[in-house]
Amino acid sequence: MSDPRTATPPQPPPPPPPMEDNPQLESSDEGTGTPNGAVQDSRLRPEDGGFKLKFCTVCANNQNRSMEAHLRLSLAAYPVVSFGTGSLVRLPGPSITQPNVYPFNVISYDQMYSELAAKDSRLYRANGLLTMLERNRGVKFAPERWQDWPVGKPRLDKYKQDKGSKGSEGGVVDVVITCEERCWDAVVDNLLERGSPLNRPVHIINVDIKDNHEEGLIGGSAILDLADSLNAAAREEREKSGEVGWVDGTGDARTGFDQRVPEVLAEWQERWPNLAALWTLGWF
């Protein structure tokens, strides 16, 4: 059964009324599945057509953790792309010495699903791979490799059906969120190797998430909470200082936002103490 979150959504309802006219929104966090203090009010998210930060999520294989976060962010109307940093896509096989190996950028999630279902549908349904691939093929075409991403090149044509593609067509993002420290290292090192041809700042944040389906779901919630908090800070700075220079990574609003990111991350870390975080400012 496919993930219902990847289905084409119906026309969104009109935005909710202001807080002062709807006091019921001040209800408890109990039963929501997120820590107390997590940003849950949808009015802090950009469904209303307001400003949206652009995000990139990264894990080793662009299969589990980065794809759950990609889906969560896209459902919250954020522009988002996702990648893996490994040399090849490696999925569990019948034994630890027999992984299923695929190249990045070429073999689609749908092809992987069909191949594994034909090999041993019982095994790959039981270990969650088929369920994961069902979700993934409803998000985008194929796993992509970070090191092969031509930053700044428009993402059109085959990418326009990807969830989160609206707003990410320009091929740049404001924030990269990795899901493992070695992936964070790979992203930081690769950006240094590229030599900053666009001279555009990008925040690189690692949220350490164990690579299993259960932790991937928790990590997706945590990354969405972090995205909401970062976007709220960016909106405040743009409202205070204007939008001039933002697109190029310059201007007072962008400077103010860049300075606030460590503070926002520290507040988020208090809400999610079991997910260790790293941060640095890099350049595209």
Side-chain angles (χ1 to χ4, degrees), residues 165-234:
S165 62
K166 185 177 180 180
S168 64
E169 302 93 339
V172 293
V173 297
D174 301 298
V175 181
V176 175
I177 302 178
T178 63
C179 301
E180 186 176 345
E181 188 170 348
R182 63 171 175 159
C183 298
W184 186 81
D185 289 337
V187 167
V188 172
D189 290 346
N190 179 255
L191 287 180
L192 290 173
E193 292 171 2
R194 292 181 187 231
S196 310
L198 303 182
N199 197 33
R200 192 179 192 280
V202 57
H203 293 273
I204 311 161
I205 299 171
N206 184 66
V207 177
D208 213 36
I209 304 168
K210 293 180 180 178
D211 192 8
N212 59 61
H213 301 303
E214 294 75 14
E215 295 295 328
L217 290 170
I218 295 171
S221 296
I223 288 173
L224 177 56
D225 178 33
L226 177 58
D228 286 340
S229 299
L230 291 168
N231 199 71

Side-chain angles (χ1 to χ4, degrees), residues 4-36:
R5 298 174 299 172
T6 62
T8 301
Q11 189 67 23
M19 179 175 287
E20 59 268 24
D21 295 331
N22 193 4
Q24 292 181 350
L25 289 175
E26 299 177 2
S27 58
S28 167
D29 290 334
E30 184 177 358
T32 62
T34 57
N36 290 335

Side-chain angles (χ1 to χ4, degrees), residues 6 52 62 121 132 175 238 248:
T6 62
K52 310 172 183 69
N62 199 199
S121 62
M132 180 184 73
V175 181
R238 286 165 60 90
D248 300 319

Side-chain angles (χ1 to χ4, degrees), residues 59-71:
C59 66
N61 294 298
N62 199 199
Q63 290 281 355
N64 178 31
R65 298 163 292 180
S66 64
M67 286 299 285
E68 178 62 27
H70 184 144
L71 177 59

